[in-house]
Amino acid sequence: MSVFKMGRGGSAPSVTAESLRAHATALTDALEAGGAQLPAPEVERARAVLEKVTERGRHTGAHTVVAFAGATGSGKSSLFNAVVGGAVATTGARRPTTATPTAAVWGPEPAGELLDWLQVGSRHQVTTERGTPLDGLVLLDLPDFDSRESANRAEAERVLSFVDVFVWVTDPQKYADARLHDDYVAAMRHYDAVTIVVLNQADRLTTAQLGECSADLRRLLLRDGLTSADVIATSARTGLGVPQLRARLGEAVAGATAARMRLDADVRTAADGLRRGVADQEVDLGNASSEALVDALGRACGVPAVVDAVANDYRRSAIAAGGWPFTRWIVRLKPNPLGRLRLDAPAPSIDADVRRAVGRSSLPQATPAARAAVDLAARRLADTASEGLPRLWAEAVAAAALPPQERLADELDQAIVRTSLQRREPVWWSVVKTLQWVAALTALVGLAWTLTQLLLGPGGLIQLPSVYVGPVSLSLVLLIGGLLAGWLLALLSRWVASVGARRRGLATKRRLHAAVGSVADALILGPVTDVLSRHRRTRTQLDAARR
Amino acid sequence: MSSDRPDTADLLTAVRGFRDVVAASRLPLDLPSTAAAKDNREALLRQLDDYVIPRLSSIDAPLLAVIGGSTGAGKSTLVNSILGREVSKMGVIRPTTTSPVLIHHAEDAHWFTDTRILPGLARVTGATASDDQPNTVRLVSSDRLPPGMALLDAPDIDSVVSANRGLARQLLAAADLWLFVTTAARYADAVPWDLLRQASDRGTAVAIVLDRVPPEVMGEVRPHLVEMLRDQGLGTAPVFPIPETTLDADGLIPDGDIARLRSWLRDLASDAAARDVVVRQTLTGALASLDERSEELVVASRTQQRVVGELQQVVDQTYRKARAGIEHGMSDGRLLRGEVLARWQDYVGTGEFFKKVEAGVSRLRDRISDVFRGSAAPVPEAVDDALQTGVAQLIEANADSAAIDVARTWRGLPAGAEILALHPGLARSSPGFPAEVDRAVRLWQGDVLDLVSSEGGNRRTNARIAAYGINGVGMFLMLVVFTHTAGLSGAEVGIAGGTAVLAQRVLEAIFGDQAVRTMAAKARAALIARSDALVESEAKRYAEAIGTVHVPADQADQLSRALDRVQAAR
């Protein structure tokens, strides 16, 4: 992609206003999404670029700003004068010669406002006939960037940040200077589409030497990262190469896309800079909070205690239901485990509301070990989530994974309280209960019968018939059978109760963990995922801005 | 000549001592704030080896004039022109010279063939090699040069080849005299002036060659350069202008244009006294510059020491917090809540029924003694496990959090990030830590049982212990440890109280109440000692990692002392 028709192959599509706008929007979005997690100096640079895009858009018109930049003594001003065709810029032997930039403007369109924006004071209107290929060109002669006058360097860099096309002017003596290559050409290699390199003072070399020298300069430019490094050999003194340079400048003006290309390269450079503060991918945490975290949170808010209480409550109630009616009252003396935790709501239908009104459960507060375990699980989650992320992002993830202890404790407690623990009474309870009563009644009847027979005897007032089952009296069979059946039933229901209690406990644990998991999702995983998705958005927007 | 300067030997010893201290000094961290000091340390060492020590040990050695300057200034052309033949490659490809050439008179060869000066560069003799060899200096003898002086054609100071820039600076630091070559296009460049400023600061003897001046601007450029030199404090430096001319058939500057320079060099070489003045000026300047340069090293040492200290501080603080967290967790009584408590209540079965009769502790005691004596459950394993898990968890979680915290804080510190990159394991507790914790808690339980049996001194007590089983009593003591100092609040008595009070009453009945308090304190101290040792060993890993980038505490002082010795001998 180049503003210059290189004459080799078709030139790539130039930057349209739309694509520049799209890139700038993507960069703006990335800055917004990245927030404080992007490195501050890069953000500042990107903001400056975005501002420049807006500003330059206002001044664009038909002007293309081209700057001659280079070392002191390379003959920038002489070349400038040769291109302009008059002694506009000061030339001299005393180094450094130029301290402030000079502008030359081609064409009828006024460039005053643009030059005001560039803060270039000394201006020259080039008188040409209408319609020359250079119409719309604003050519700047910049101060040097390598003399001991550091003010010159600062001024050159200031103006360079605004121009559309760079012309690096060097000479056979200085063409391999580190300052030119390392500090400028390599640092601005992204702008290769709008870069021209000129080897001035070519008259000092023989033709053979010039060829050698140009080839070496081209090698160095490739090393700097310019992909289409073309070198124009010029001589301000003999006029060699000046028409060629003019023609090249004319190409840059003709497209009128140089400004956009420069700005686009600016946006891409800024995005590149920001991209270094963003990782290539994020860890996918999935939707559910990790088992370890839920387990730790559950432990911290006393899930095992609740589960045990529920199981005990079930066992107790089951025993109460299926126990021998004669000794059942003893169970009632034992504490209701759910009551101790204030979790024994009257009925599942209204319990949620009631308990919400009652507020905190009286679950035992988390032990220090449990709280430390929650802390650790959250930190581990943050560690996993922030793997490979740059430091600022990793810190954001860590902060998101550690919600305030108080709030977490409160939410967890509420989650436990809201979870319905009561379940419908199993059918077998009432069946067993009825059977127990039947057995008890049978035993009672048998007892009464037997007693009557014994007390009132054969000579008594009331003669009850003696029915024998085999050799044993039926009354005795009823009594002993009733007692035995009750005892066996109690034994059986005790066994069934313990199995049921275990299952009830597991079911409760599942439900509680689901409740705790949703708190973990909302308070820990959610914020962490938010940071990660912010990271993803920043990354994709930056990549879009660099495309 | 050296006989009238008896102090040279002392000075040499002092400088050698100083050199060894500098060589032994370490700046192990790559901090932005000490990067310059690190580079300067290298440069200082090199100058001591390349120049100061050789010059002090042989003050009569030939004067070494190093020809330095920008790329394209015409250094090689100048050298060749002085000698009248091509000894150094010339051309339009920049940078032309990449390995230095040392030209000396045949009589002086012995001064340069050994490694007296520039010990880091290998010697090459003979014809120009087709390709340059890195880290070599080519020796060429020439009759055009008088004995007593040698020229060194150095690479450029400012081209894209960074190796050249470094070597040129090293060579200039080894010079008795700088023959600084610049041009009409270059004389205001920033890079050469940085070096000239340094030469001025160090009192190095400098002569300037203003090369390639178009004759028509000579009148303008030369006075400007002289003025700039004066401003820089180099007003006494001679300036030799050479006009831009067509070179002769051999590519050399016409004799007439360099006659002045050549005769100046010849005069200097043949006048022993003048030579001595130049040598001493540069040497004295170099010695005087040691002050400032070693001060920079001292400051950098202190900075690195402080940075490392900060890292250690982070570790200390974080792990102190972890220890406090563990201790707090053990003493505030809440370790008993949750798991442990639930198990205990299940076990002992304190409930409303028993609360009603709690006044009669004896009945409870009976029940408990049944429990502990009964063969079905000699040790309350569930409680034991829960307690062990609780304590282990408390220690592990606190230590793990500390490790993660340290890593996070370190990542924000330049030195810390560097160490973490070298030791990634530091971001977590060590892999064997959970096992260590389990072992420690088990050992502590052993401690408690030992405590119980040693306290059970007399026969009566022993008999009572036997009634509950030693494990049972130990269990009680462990429970009491976690509640003893707590002073349970009213609300808590309902839950934890039953437990702890019960355990405590049983113990008091056996040992007496003062003894129980002492035993609980002892058991607690033992547990804290064990957990402290565990945490301490975790924290020690960081100290070891820091040790690899540790700056010796007395490094700065040693540098100052060695420098004092040098200055005293001067």
Side-chain angles (χ1 to χ4, degrees):
Chain A
M1 189 156 67
S2 170
V3 279
F4 316 116
K5 297 175 194 81
M6 290 307 194
R8 40 182 134 103
S11 59
S14 61
V15 176
T16 61
E18 287 73 42
S19 74
L20 174 60
R21 204 176 308 124
H23 287 168
T25 314
L27 184 61
T28 315
D29 284 357
L31 283 178
E32 198 180 311
Q37 274 66 55
L38 292 172
E42 306 289 346
V43 169
E44 209 171 298
R45 210 162 300 151
R47 286 199 198 289
V49 164
L50 287 171
E51 196 181 323
K52 194 169 76 177
V53 170
T54 327
E55 277 288 315
R56 186 70 177 88
R58 206 171 297 154
H59 296 294
T60 247
H63 285 119
T64 300
V65 184
V66 180
F68 280 6
T72 176
S74 286
K76 289 180 300 297
S77 299
S78 308
L79 190 63
F80 179 82
N81 288 345
V83 171
V84 173
V88 176
T90 323
T91 57
R94 199 183 162 95
R95 306 263 81 88
T97 319
T98 309
T100 54
T102 305
V105 181
W106 275 261
E109 198 172 326
E113 223 176 282
L114 178 65
L115 288 169
D116 284 346
W117 179 60
L118 296 170
Q119 294 174 38
V120 174
S122 97
R123 301 158 191 192
H124 172 79
Q125 181 67 44
V126 181
T127 45
T128 50
E129 283 134 45
R130 264 191 161 281
T132 65
L134 291 183
D135 261 6
L137 171 67
V138 175
L139 189 62
L140 299 176
D141 179 32
L142 299 188
D144 68 88
F145 54 52
D146 71 338
S147 80
R148 48 187 230 139
E149 296 296 334
S150 49
N152 285 5
R153 184 176 185 173
E155 176 66 3
E157 287 186 356
R158 183 189 69 78
V159 181
L160 276 176
S161 66
F162 294 112
V163 303
D164 303 330
V165 176
F166 307 99
V167 181
W168 302 112
V169 181
T170 186
D171 66 289
Q173 232 186 89
K174 292 192 158 184
Y175 81 84
D177 277 16
R179 178 69 54 94
L180 170 69
H181 290 279
D182 295 350
D183 294 357
Y184 292 93
V185 180
M188 295 181 153
R189 62 183 176 280
H190 289 289
Y191 305 103
D192 59 345
V194 289
T195 296
I196 303 174
V197 180
V198 169
L199 183 65
N200 198 24
Q201 301 176 1
D203 57 305
R204 292 182 180 228
L205 302 175
T206 64
T207 317
Q209 284 176 331
L210 181 60
E212 231 179 303
C213 199
S214 306
D216 197 43
L217 175 55
R218 220 167 281 135
R219 179 185 64 82
L220 289 174
L221 293 173
L222 284 175
R223 194 205 68 149
D224 291 337
L226 289 192
T227 47
S228 53
D230 201 23
V231 175
I232 305 175
T234 62
S235 167
R237 192 182 297 176
T238 64
L240 169 79
V242 172
Q244 216 182 325
L245 177 59
R246 269 217 197 93
R248 189 57 64 83
L249 293 178
E251 286 167 18
V253 174
T257 58
R260 280 203 295 274
M261 282 189 159
R262 159 73 211 251
L263 291 173
D264 196 57
D266 274 338
V267 170
R268 273 185 287 135
T269 310
D272 265 354
L274 287 168
R275 186 66 176 72
R276 278 191 288 278
V278 176
D280 287 333
Q281 58 185 30
E282 306 80 22
V283 175
D284 184 20
L285 286 178
N287 288 326
S289 297
S290 75
E291 212 167 300
L293 180 65
V294 172
D295 207 54
L297 285 175
R299 209 169 278 278
C301 62
V303 165
V306 175
V307 168
D308 284 355
V310 166
N312 284 343
D313 178 62
Y314 180 92
R315 196 176 296 117
R316 176 176 161 278
S317 308
I319 291 170
W324 210 33
F326 305 109
T327 53
R328 202 147 56 194
W329 61 274
I330 294 176
V331 177
R332 301 242 165 78
L333 286 179
K334 286 195 174 182
N336 174 358
L338 281 180
R340 221 162 48 192
L341 301 174
R342 269 217 262 158
L343 292 169
D344 55 341
S349 51
I350 53 161
D351 64 346
D353 298 328
V354 171
R355 281 208 239 112
R356 214 170 286 136
V358 170
R360 291 186 64 102
S361 69
S362 69
L363 283 171
Q365 260 182 304
T367 67
R371 268 183 299 146
V374 170
D375 223 39
L376 183 62
R379 270 173 229 259
R380 288 232 169 103
L381 178 78
D383 230 32
T384 318
S386 62
E387 203 178 312
L389 294 187
R391 193 173 61 81
L392 289 170
W393 288 100
E395 275 174 10
V397 168
L402 288 174
Q405 285 271 355
E406 280 303 307
R407 172 139 187 255
L408 183 63
D410 214 49
E411 292 278 337
L412 285 173
D413 212 45
Q414 290 299 322
I416 299 281
V417 170
R418 269 198 299 271
T419 308
S420 157
L421 300 176
Q422 300 284 356
R423 277 284 173 273
R424 206 159 37 79
E425 280 194 1
V427 183
W428 68 268
W429 286 11
S430 35
V431 173
V432 172
K433 210 174 193 171
T434 318
L435 286 178
Q436 279 288 18
W437 279 117
V438 171
L441 276 175
T442 313
L444 279 177
V445 168
L447 180 67
W449 193 352
T450 312
L451 281 180
T452 318
Q453 274 176 340
L454 280 179
L455 293 178
L456 304 177
L461 292 173
I462 309 158
Q463 284 292 334
L464 284 176
S466 291
V467 182
Y468 286 86
V469 181
V472 189
S473 149
L474 178 63
S475 57
L476 219 56
V477 169
L478 284 179
L479 173 61
I480 294 172
L483 289 177
L484 206 62
W487 182 66
L488 282 173
L489 262 176
L491 218 59
L492 184 71
S493 67
R494 208 171 258 273
W495 178 74
V496 176
S498 71
V499 172
R502 207 172 315 125
R503 283 167 66 186
R504 172 64 61 93
L506 282 176
T508 309
K509 189 175 173 185
R510 257 198 311 281
R511 274 207 307 284
L512 287 173
H513 270 195
V516 169
S518 69
V519 172
D521 281 346
L523 284 188
I524 297 177
L525 195 68
V528 168
T529 325
D530 282 352
V531 174
L532 290 184
S533 65
R534 221 150 49 70
H535 181 271
R536 185 177 306 112
R537 183 164 167 72
T538 311
R539 179 168 57 82
T540 49
Q541 289 299 324
L542 283 178
D543 285 344
R546 292 156 80 218
R547 208 172 294 128
Chain B
M1 199 162 60
S2 59
S3 55
D4 59 325
R5 308 198 185 266
D7 57 336
T8 313
D10 285 347
L11 184 54
L12 182 59
T13 317
V15 170
R16 283 216 167 105
F18 177 66
R19 187 239 166 240
D20 290 343
V21 173
V22 173
S25 68
R26 283 159 28 98
L27 296 174
L29 292 172
D30 277 326
L31 302 180
S33 58
T34 55
K38 229 171 166 172
D39 291 348
N40 288 344
R41 175 182 166 275
E42 295 292 310
L44 175 60
L45 257 187
R46 256 192 256 118
Q47 197 189 14
L48 289 171
D49 284 341
D50 291 348
Y51 174 68
V52 179
I53 292 174
R55 184 43 85 189
L56 276 173
S57 48
S58 47
I59 199 87
D60 298 328
L63 182 145
L64 182 66
V66 173
I67 300 170
S70 304
T71 177
K75 294 180 297 298
S76 298
T77 310
L78 184 72
V79 171
N80 294 342
S81 303
I82 291 170
L83 301 176
R85 68 186 171 100
E86 176 166 343
V87 294
S88 193
K89 216 168 66 184
M90 304 180 288
V92 293
I93 302 299
R94 315 262 162 257
T96 322
T97 307
T98 52
S99 69
V101 183
L102 195 151
I103 307 108
H104 55 82
H105 190 267
E107 283 175 24
D108 290 335
H110 68 279
W111 289 113
F112 302 107
T113 44
D114 61 8
T115 52
R116 186 185 61 94
I117 60 160
L118 301 172
L121 299 179
R123 269 53 170 170
V124 177
T125 53
T128 321
S130 55
D131 45 54
D132 296 305
Q133 298 154 349
N135 287 323
T136 59
V137 55
R138 194 154 59 84
L139 299 183
V140 175
S141 90
S142 168
D143 301 338
R144 297 288 286 269
L145 214 58
M149 170 180 279
L151 292 181
L152 181 60
D153 182 18
D156 65 87
I157 53 168
D158 54 6
S159 84
V160 287
V161 181
S162 63
N164 273 9
R165 304 200 295 261
L167 183 56
R169 279 169 173 75
Q170 181 188 351
L171 295 176
L172 284 169
D176 292 308
L177 169 68
W178 284 20
L179 213 53
F180 207 84
V181 185
T182 184
T183 68
R186 287 217 180 255
Y187 74 90
D189 281 10
V191 178
W193 277 101
D194 287 344
L195 282 169
L196 285 172
R197 194 174 303 127
Q198 194 189 339
S200 162
D201 291 347
R202 296 197 185 159
T204 312
V206 178
I208 308 284
V209 178
L210 179 58
D211 203 357
R212 307 181 69 165
V213 188
E216 66 272 16
V217 300
M218 182 69 88
E220 192 181 347
V221 170
R222 194 186 159 195
H224 188 208
L225 174 62
V226 171
E227 186 191 317
M228 286 164 84
L229 285 169
R230 207 170 35 238
D231 290 348
Q232 194 60 68
L234 292 168
T236 54
V239 176
F240 300 97
I242 298 174
E244 172 104 65
T245 47
T246 28
L247 306 176
D248 66 13
D250 297 329
L252 303 179
I253 303 166
D255 273 355
D257 289 334
I258 57 161
R260 224 190 108 219
L261 174 62
R262 198 186 274 154
S263 70
W264 182 78
L265 285 174
R266 198 183 307 117
D267 291 350
L268 183 61
S270 51
D271 182 352
R275 226 168 54 204
D276 196 44
V277 168
V278 170
V279 166
R280 289 207 175 266
Q281 180 194 338
T282 306
L283 184 57
T284 313
L287 287 172
S289 78
L290 295 184
D291 261 346
E292 197 185 318
R293 298 160 82 185
S294 101
E295 179 59 28
E296 186 183 19
L297 202 50
V298 167
V299 171
S301 300
R302 296 229 162 96
T303 308
Q304 296 223 341
Q305 231 168 318
R306 184 174 45 80
V307 168
V308 167
E310 276 167 14
L311 293 181
Q312 185 60 52
Q313 218 176 329
V314 169
V315 175
D316 290 348
Q317 269 172 10
T318 315
Y319 275 89
R320 202 179 310 133
K321 220 178 81 193
R323 274 165 53 182
I326 294 170
E327 207 176 320
H328 179 73
M330 285 173 185
S331 52
D332 82 344
R334 279 185 287 180
L335 196 71
L336 279 191
R337 272 168 274 190
E339 285 279 329
V340 178
L341 188 62
R343 305 290 169 218
W344 173 251
Q345 280 170 336
D346 277 356
Y347 192 75
V348 182
T350 48
E352 276 149 36
F353 178 73
F354 290 104
K355 269 190 199 148
K356 280 180 192 152
V357 290
E358 202 187 345
V361 175
S362 58
R363 283 195 51 188
L364 277 172
R365 216 187 284 160
D366 290 347
R367 181 182 158 86
I368 291 163
S369 58
D370 283 350
V371 162
F372 287 99
R373 263 184 310 202
S375 54
V379 188
E381 258 179 55
V383 186
D384 190 40
D385 282 353
L387 200 53
Q388 159 120 16
T389 319
V391 175
Q393 244 180 16
L394 181 71
I395 298 174
E396 270 170 47
N398 273 292
D400 244 3
S401 297
I404 290 174
D405 271 358
V406 167
R408 208 173 66 212
T409 319
W410 272 23
R411 268 188 208 110
L413 300 169
E418 208 177 302
I419 298 178
L420 279 177
L422 288 173
H423 309 272
L426 291 182
R428 288 282 172 90
S429 287
S430 46
F433 189 63
E436 283 292 303
V437 173
D438 278 351
R439 212 173 68 87
V441 176
R442 266 199 307 280
L443 285 175
W444 173 69
Q445 289 174 332
D447 292 349
V448 171
L449 295 184
D450 286 352
L451 196 62
V452 169
S453 38
S454 71
E455 281 294 317
N458 61 52
R459 197 172 295 163
R460 255 191 74 198
T461 317
N462 259 336
R464 286 188 194 152
I465 293 173
Y468 295 100
I470 194 155
N471 286 344
V473 177
M475 188 75 253
F476 287 157
L477 186 53
M478 287 177 212
L479 288 170
V480 170
V481 161
F482 297 110
T483 45
H484 198 260
T485 53
L488 293 164
S489 61
E492 245 139 37
V493 174
I495 298 171
T499 316
V501 168
L502 174 64
Q504 197 163 342
R505 289 202 186 150
V506 173
L507 286 177
E508 279 166 7
I510 300 175
F511 297 102
D513 94 29
Q514 182 55 40
V516 170
R517 222 166 293 153
T518 321
M519 280 164 69
K522 272 188 196 164
R524 229 162 65 75
L527 180 54
I528 287 171
R530 285 198 186 273
S531 83
D532 277 0
L534 284 171
V535 174
E536 209 54 56
S537 79
E538 283 294 290
K540 209 172 276 163
R541 297 181 305 147
Y542 296 91
E544 276 161 21
I546 289 173
T548 59
V549 293
H550 182 61
V551 179
D554 58 346
Q555 177 167 307
D557 295 338
Q558 277 194 8
L559 280 167
S560 304
R561 271 201 303 278
L563 182 70
D564 287 346
R565 277 197 292 278
V566 171
Q567 301 304 21
R570 271 176 69 201

